[in-house]
């Protein structure tokens, strides 16, 4: 669990940002006018100056940052856990108590961010001092570590003991109050750098990551790197931008439109499964549900993309297209998607299949693409790759979006679905003392057979009905 | 394409000078060659014209970036919170932990939802990857990876496989099987190979393609079946930490964020960087698209989350508070995009009103830093994973 010398390199430096911010907070706490109220604290017969109470610290945080008491206590606790504030009584536990418990600010010498290597030798000296000062005062885990260190740096043990004795002797020259304070400061430092088992190690930053080049400059920036940046900037400068007012307006519209569909904002019927412990909501909205809810059908009118993303919506759209004799458009689009996201090995076969079915003259499901796109596509088919049908796919997608989709929304088919669609009944809230509803398991998707046609049957299980 | 050099011990004939030397693999315009160290050195300053030095190129890049910022500012005629004055404020917001998933013996680093809205996969520091039915809190599958610090995991769209990787520099795909006689690790497929740790991975619209981000500064698109590299994305100046695929209808872009403080939007087909944003003050730990696909949010070690609009081509909002000191490790939007959930290294989760820019709520509960956070596919809940070994589902 050795903290060791702080890792150098960009990533480690970045992670120290929160430490410097904590220091700023702690410094402003010590401001004589705006800071926390300082007082002298009497501990038995010793008087320690410049102490603050836990309660005052929390109050100050509440005032300064306009936050709740819970948050202030949490932030204060983090400051203590990182060793910036230490308790004068019970210095073995780094916890912030919101009462008259006295605390003091850690001296910058011991600040975590100083990157002072908390080396084994120093720790050994500290433990030796503790042991010498009062026999049997080492805690179990400290005794263990002391013994381990003894084995590991046995060759330097004389130095350790000598240093410990010297430091103790020098300490005796000081006033009792100062001695107490220095002891607390040191103890806090070691609590942070060598946390006892069970308490969180706040210095832990993540895996020992070797950056690309183990130097502060992350990567060898060759001339090509800068040229690429310059190229990227030039392209960006030439790009057409949209006014902020237009873009931001779009967020408003999107939020308002989707507000009722957002379970976290508007709840959901029959009830949020995580709150009511009933999976009825998922059953009612399953990808194969025969009777989609009103909200679901409404969503298909938000955008063409939403309609296609819902398997039930897409199936109904396909029915509509069949009536209009343009079902091959959707089939073609689906086949193109399969090509784009399919396995690399299947690309030639899929391209060929699509050509035979949709593009060849006299094909069974010939799609009507404009001549220029068709020419380009046929040209590209000579060397098939997964993106060769992109132009044609986009053309057909836009055709459906601008033409068939608006007609679908105005059609009797869609209006009928909207009228038929119901709103599920809300599940009655359970009232104590009834026991918690058992959480029903569901079959894992990994168990289901590979999907072909979506199953049309299947009512919801759990029994909650649609109004 | 960015040129990079890596160290490998291979001896042979240099592709440039043909002498028998110790070779390194070198990428020139996305083609891999083997150069000896002398030729590699020459290549670094290759392509410089007369009067050009690395320093002059760097300053040209800087000045262009400055001009770009000016151009972007010209069309910025209103702030988000001004527009948002017309929207009603959110009411009292109460979210609680509804499920606690205990079972990992070490820090939880990453998680992902299954499309069935209740199953999740999570990975941890000790190499364990677990698939849970989080509704019942039952563990359904568990796999132990041969490496520690599994920082990335993803659920396949079909729900039949998972992908994960970390310090092993690889991304492996495991088909999920309920066959008691079969060891899941037996069917493992090694798909991606990077030269540094894997930081993020995601399936595209099918089980057959995976997008990965790595500490070697690149992102890459792979064919799962063959392990073939389909496209690589060079441009980040440092480790790439996160990525997210765009929910757009023509589905061809994704955004990545890295240690170089940049968020970059890429075209999957050509491998080119389409847009780049550099306003964060520290590493970007997480990026997530707004549900409409017109914007994305990022969370960073500088303790802020920011919203970037793709059509306006600029940052449009900053979510920060003086009392929030620790970095944001992961962000995600609610279904309507009105709420932004962000997990922080100070063990809390802050909920932001995306439009008004104010913090709506702060959630306590985790006992160590929150490392990962995802909203469920139907928006009914979100799940957070933490270094305190647990995952929590909130609703």
């Amino acid at each position: 669990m050795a903290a060791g010398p702080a890792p150098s390199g960009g990533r480690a430096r970045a992670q120290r940002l929160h430490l410097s911010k904590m220091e700023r907070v702690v410094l402003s706490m010590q401001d004589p006018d705006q800071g926390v109220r300082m007082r002298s604290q009497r501990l038995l017969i010793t008087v320690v100056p410049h102490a603050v109470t836990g309660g005052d610290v929390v109050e100050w945080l509440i005032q300064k940052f306009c936050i709740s008491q819970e948050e202030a206590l949490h932030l204060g606790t983090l400051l203590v856990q990182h060793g910036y504030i230490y308790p004068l009584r019970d210095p073995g536990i780094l916890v912030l108590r919101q009462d008259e418990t006295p605390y003091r600010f850690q001296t910058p010498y011991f600040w975590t961010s100083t990157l002072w290597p908390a080396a084994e030798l120093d720790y050994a000296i500290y433990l030796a001092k503790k042991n010498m000062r009062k026999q049997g005062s080492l805690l179990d885990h400290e005794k263990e570590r002391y013994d381990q260190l003894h084995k590991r740096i046995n060759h330097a043990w004389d130095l350790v003991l000598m240093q410990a004795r010297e430091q103790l002797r020098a300490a005796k020259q000081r006033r009792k109050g100062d001695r107490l304070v220095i002891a607390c400061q040191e103890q806090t430092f070691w609590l942070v750098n060598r946390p006892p088992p069970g308490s969180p190690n706040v210095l832990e930053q993540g895996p020992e990551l070797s950056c690309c080049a183990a130097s502060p400059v992350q990567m060898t920036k060759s001339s090509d790197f800068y040229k690429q940046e310059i190229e990227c900037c030039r392209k960006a400068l030439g790009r057409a931008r949209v006014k902020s007012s237009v873009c931001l307006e779009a967020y408003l519209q999107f939020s308002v439109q989707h507000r009722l569909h957002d379970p976290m904002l508007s709840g959901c019927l029959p009830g949020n499964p995580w709150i009511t412990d009933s999976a009825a909501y998922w059953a009612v909205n399953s990808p194969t549900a025969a009777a989609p809810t009103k909200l679901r059908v409404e969503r298909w009118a938000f955008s063409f993309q939403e309609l296609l993303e819902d398997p039930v919506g897409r199936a109904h759209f396909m029915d509509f297209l069949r009536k209009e004799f343009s079902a091959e458009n959707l089939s073609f689009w689906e086949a193109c998607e399969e090509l784009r996201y399919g396995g690399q090995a299947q690309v030639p076969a899929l391209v060929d299949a699509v050509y035979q079915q949709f593009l060849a003259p006299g094909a069974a499901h010939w799609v009507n693409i404009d001549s220029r796109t068709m020419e380009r596509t046929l040209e590209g088919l000579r060397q098939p790759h997964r993106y060769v049908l992109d132009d044609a796919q986009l053309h057909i997608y836009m055709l459906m979006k601008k033409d068939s989709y608006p007609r679908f929304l105005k059609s009797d088919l869609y209006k009928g679905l909207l009228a038929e669609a119901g709103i599920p009944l809300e599940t009655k809230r359970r009232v104590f003392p009834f026991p918690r509803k058992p959480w029903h398991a569901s079959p894992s998707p990994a168990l289901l057979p590979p999907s072909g046609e979506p199953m049309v049957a299947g009512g919801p299980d759990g029994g909650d009905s649609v109004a | 394409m960015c040129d990079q050099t890596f160290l490998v011990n291979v001896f042979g004939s240099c592709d440039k000078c043909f002498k028998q030397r110790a070779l390194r693999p070198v990428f020139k315009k996305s083609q891999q060659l083997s150069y000896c160290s002398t030729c590699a050195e020459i290549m670094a300053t290759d392509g410089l014209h007369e009067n050009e030095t690395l320093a002059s190129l760097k300053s040209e890049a800087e000045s262009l970036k400055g001009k770009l910022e000016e151009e972007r500012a010209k069309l910025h005629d209103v702030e988000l919170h001004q527009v948002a004055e017309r929207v009603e404020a959110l009411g009292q917001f109460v979210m609680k932990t509804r499920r606690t998933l205990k079972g990992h013996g070490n820090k939880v680093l990453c998680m992902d939802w299954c499309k069935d809205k209740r199953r999740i996969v999570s990975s941890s520091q000790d190499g364990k990857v677990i698939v849970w039915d989080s509704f019942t809190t039952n563990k359904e599958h568990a796999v132990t990876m041969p490496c520690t610090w599994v920082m990335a995991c993803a659920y396949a769209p079909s729900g039949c496989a998972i992908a994960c990787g970390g310090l092993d520099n690889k991304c492996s795909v495991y088909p999920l099987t309920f066959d008691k006689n079969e060891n899941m690790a037996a069917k493992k497929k090694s798909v991606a190979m990077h030269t540094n740790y894997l930081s993020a991975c995601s399936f595209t619209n099918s089980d057959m393609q995976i997008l990965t981000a790595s500490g070697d500064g690149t992102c890459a698109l792979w064919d799962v079946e063959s392990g073939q590299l389909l496209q690589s994305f060079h441009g980040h100046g440092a480790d790439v930490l996160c990525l997210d695929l765009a929910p757009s209808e023509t589905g061809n872009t994704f955004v990545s964020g890295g240690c170089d403080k940049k968020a970059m939007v890429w075209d999957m087909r050509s491998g080119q960087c389409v847009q780049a944003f550099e306003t964060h003050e520290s590493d970007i730990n997480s990026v997530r698209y707004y549900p409409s696909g017109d914007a994305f949010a990022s969370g960073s070690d500088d303790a802020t989350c920011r919203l970037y609009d793709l059509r306006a081509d600029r940052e449009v909002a900053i979510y920060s508070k003086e009392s929030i000191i620790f970095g944001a490790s992961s962000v995600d939007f609610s279904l309507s995009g009105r709420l932004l959930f962000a997990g922080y290294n100070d063990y809390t989760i802050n909920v932001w009103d995306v439009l008004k820019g104010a913090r709506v709520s702060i959630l306590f509960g985790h006992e160590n830093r929150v490392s990962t956070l995802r909203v469920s596919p139907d928006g009914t809940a979100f799940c957070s994973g933490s270094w305190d070994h647990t995952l929590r589902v909130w609703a």
Side-chain angles (χ1 to χ4, degrees), chain A residues 11 14-15 17-18 21-22 25 65-67 70-71 74-75 78 81-82 200 202 204-207 209-212 218-230 232-237 239 241-252 254-255 258-259 261-265 268 272-275 277-279 281-282 285 299 305 337 340-344 346 385-387 390 394 397 401 439-447, chain B residues 2-4 44 46-48 54 57-58 60 64-65 68 71-72 75-78 80 83 86-87 90 98-99 107 116-119 134-136 149 158-159 178 196-197 204-206 208-209 215-216 223 228 230 234-235 237-238 247-252 259 262 269 273-275 282-283 290-292 295 302-303 309 311-313 321-323 325-326 334-336 338 341 346-348 355 359 362 364 369 378-381 387 393 395:
Chain A
R11 186 110 172 93
Q15 289 169 342
L17 260 182
H18 61 280
K21 285 186 191 165
M22 275 196 274
V25 173
F65 294 124
C66 306
I67 51 182
E70 195 181 4
E71 195 179 346
H74 182 82
L75 181 55
L78 283 170
Q81 280 178 345
H82 281 78
V202 293
E204 208 167 358
Q205 289 297 342
L209 300 173
S210 51
C211 289
C212 304
Q218 245 75 9
M219 206 186 263
T220 334
K221 292 200 170 118
S222 65
S223 66
D224 269 357
F225 177 81
Y226 288 119
K227 285 201 172 158
Q228 191 209 6
E229 270 206 332
I230 291 170
C232 206
C233 279
R234 290 225 175 93
K235 257 191 278 175
L237 278 166
R239 180 204 319 268
R241 262 173 217 92
V242 180
K243 270 199 297 192
S244 287
S245 46
V246 174
C247 303
L248 300 178
E249 188 64 38
Y251 301 156
L252 245 68
F254 189 87
S255 289
H258 284 80
R259 190 195 168 108
H261 298 254
D262 187 340
M264 290 179 182
L265 292 176
C268 55
N272 189 317
W274 304 98
I275 303 176
D277 293 331
S278 153
Y281 177 73
W282 289 324
N285 286 300
R299 237 176 126 171
Q305 194 186 354
E337 286 284 280
R340 263 214 299 175
Y341 296 110
Q344 187 67 3
Q346 282 85 49
H385 57 93
R386 67 177 60 239
Y387 300 115
D390 269 10
L394 187 61
Y397 183 85
K401 179 176 171 179
W439 295 326
H440 285 124
S442 76
S444 165
L447 276 174
Chain B
C2 172
D3 295 330
Q4 299 167 330
D46 213 7
L48 284 175
L54 276 181
L57 279 179
K58 184 171 177 188
E60 190 184 343
L64 275 176
K65 279 192 218 173
L68 181 58
E71 284 298 309
R72 283 172 167 170
L75 283 174
H76 190 57
D77 50 349
V78 73
L80 180 54
V83 173
R86 293 174 4 229
V87 170
L90 294 171
R98 305 289 174 175
R99 301 284 190 278
K107 308 180 179 66
D116 76 347
K117 306 147 194 168
R118 48 191 286 174
R119 282 175 173 75
S134 55
F135 189 62
T136 58
W149 289 94
S158 68
F178 280 94
N196 210 330
Y197 65 94
T204 61
N205 277 9
S206 78
M208 291 178 267
Q209 286 182 345
D216 65 10
D223 177 59
Q228 184 188 355
L230 298 174
H234 300 245
S248 88
E249 44 196 359
T250 46
N252 243 340
C259 287
K262 275 205 276 200
R269 183 174 163 173
C273 168
V274 172
Q275 280 172 287
S282 186
D283 305 0
Y290 186 75
S292 73
D302 65 5
D309 187 290
R311 294 188 298 166
D313 193 32
K321 206 169 179 327
E322 246 193 308
S323 61
I325 292 178
F326 286 71
S334 73
L335 193 131
S336 65
R338 182 70 193 269
F341 298 98
D346 65 359
Y347 322 169
T348 67
L355 299 177
R359 186 182 64 184
I362 178 169
F364 298 96
R369 64 164 79 173
D378 62 355
T380 49
W387 280 18
V393 179

Side-chain angles (χ1 to χ4, degrees), chain A residues 18-30:
Chain A
H18 61 280
L19 292 177
S20 52
K21 285 186 191 165
M22 275 196 274
E23 278 149 28
R24 245 177 282 155
V25 173
V26 160
L27 281 173
S28 54
M29 274 191 190
Q30 294 174 71

Side-chain angles (χ1 to χ4, degrees), chain B residues 117-362:
Chain B
K117 306 147 194 168
R118 48 191 286 174
R119 282 175 173 75
I120 64 171
V121 61
S122 60
S123 64
S124 76
Q125 182 197 344
D126 57 4
K128 268 254 172 50
V129 177
I130 303 181
V131 175
W132 318 69
D133 176 354
S134 55
F135 189 62
T136 58
T137 71
N138 291 338
K139 299 184 202 41
E140 293 193 340
H141 306 265
V143 155
T144 308
M145 294 273 287
C147 69
T148 57
W149 289 94
V150 185
M151 293 176 266
C153 64
Y155 222 119
S158 68
C160 299
I162 55 165
C164 46
L167 285 188
D168 58 350
N169 301 359
K170 295 198 276 228
C171 184
S172 312
V173 174
Y174 291 86
L176 294 175
T177 169
F178 280 94
D179 192 340
K180 294 210 200 312
N181 300 325
E182 230 171 51
N183 183 4
M184 252 180 74
K187 286 251 165 89
K188 162 180 160 178
K189 232 184 295 205
S190 252
V191 174
M193 291 278 282
H194 280 280
T195 51
N196 210 330
Y197 65 94
L198 192 84
S199 53
C201 66
S202 171
F203 284 90
T204 61
N205 277 9
S206 78
D207 286 15
M208 291 178 267
Q209 286 182 345
I210 277 201
L211 192 59
T212 58
S214 164
D216 65 10
T218 69
C219 298
L221 182 66
W222 308 84
D223 177 59
V224 172
E225 193 57 49
S226 61
Q228 184 188 355
L229 172 69
L230 298 174
Q231 183 62 263
S232 68
F233 308 89
H234 300 245
H236 273 288
D239 308 24
V240 186
L241 296 178
C242 50
L243 58 82
D244 191 33
L245 283 148
S248 88
E249 44 196 359
T250 46
N252 243 340
T253 58
F254 72 95
V255 62
S256 66
C259 287
D260 56 354
K261 312 174 197 170
K262 275 205 276 200
M264 301 176 85
V265 181
W266 306 88
D267 175 15
M268 286 215 285
R269 183 174 163 173
S270 64
Q272 294 296 324
C273 168
V274 172
Q275 280 172 287
F277 304 90
E278 202 173 346
T279 62
H280 268 293
E281 292 162 15
S282 186
D283 305 0
I284 298 180
N285 294 316
S286 167
V287 284
R288 195 70 65 205
Y289 270 95
Y290 186 75
S292 73
D294 289 330
F296 68 89
S298 60
S300 157
D301 273 342
D302 65 5
T304 68
C305 298
R306 294 171 198 236
L307 186 68
Y308 296 92
D309 187 290
L310 295 170
R311 294 188 298 166
D313 193 32
R314 56 173 294 126
E315 170 194 295
V316 290
I318 306 183
Y319 306 101
S320 69
K321 206 169 179 327
E322 246 193 308
S323 61
I324 300 176
I325 292 178
F326 286 71
S329 62
S330 54
V331 297
D332 205 352
F333 285 98
S334 73
L335 193 131
S336 65
R338 182 70 193 269
L339 299 170
L340 179 69
F341 298 98
Y344 290 78
N345 292 342
D346 65 359
Y347 322 169
T348 67
I349 296 165
N350 287 289
V351 185
W352 299 92
D353 181 333
V354 171
L355 299 177
K356 295 204 183 271
R359 186 182 64 184
V360 170
S361 173
I362 178 169

Side-chain angles (χ1 to χ4, degrees), chain A residues 139-154:
Chain A
L139 300 163
D140 286 335
H141 69 269
E142 286 176 332
K143 261 194 228 119
E144 241 183 80
R145 291 179 189 165
Y146 190 59
D147 294 332
Q148 278 172 9
L149 284 168
H150 193 124
K151 282 196 201 98
R152 263 212 300 276
I153 52 175
N154 200 6

Side-chain angles (χ1 to χ4, degrees), chain A residues 399-442:
Chain A
L399 193 67
M400 289 193 290
K401 179 176 171 179
K402 300 267 163 69
D403 193 34
S404 317
Y405 174 61
R407 275 212 302 279
F408 169 73
L409 293 179
K410 294 197 195 101
S411 70
D412 291 333
L413 172 60
Y414 179 70
K415 293 205 174 115
L417 284 168
L418 204 52
E420 270 168 31
I423 304 171
L425 290 167
E426 187 177 356
T427 323
K428 284 225 176 64
R429 272 284 168 93
R430 288 171 297 112
V431 180
F432 281 122
F434 291 118
R436 169 173 71 73
K437 213 167 173 174
W439 295 326
H440 285 124
S442 76

Side-chain angles (χ1 to χ4, degrees), chain A residues 279-357:
Chain A
Y281 177 73
W282 289 324
V284 162
N285 286 300
S286 87
T288 53
T293 64
K294 205 174 207 70
L295 275 180
R296 192 172 176 179
V297 178
E298 275 172 14
R299 237 176 126 171
W300 301 341
F302 288 172
S303 75
F304 188 39
Q305 194 186 354
E306 297 250 20
L307 173 65
L308 287 184
E309 272 173 5
D310 187 345
V312 172
R314 195 194 283 203
H316 283 295
F317 185 62
M318 181 65 100
D319 284 341
F320 172 76
L321 287 181
R322 278 202 196 101
K323 293 208 180 84
E324 299 219 322
F325 303 106
S326 52
E328 68 275 359
N329 287 343
L330 186 55
S331 304
F332 174 68
W333 181 84
E334 284 179 340
C336 291
E337 286 284 280
E338 222 191 296
L339 169 68
R340 263 214 299 175
Y341 296 110
Q344 187 67 3
Q346 282 85 49
V347 165
L350 275 172
V351 170
D352 194 56
V354 168
Y355 174 72
Q356 296 298 337
Q357 261 211 305

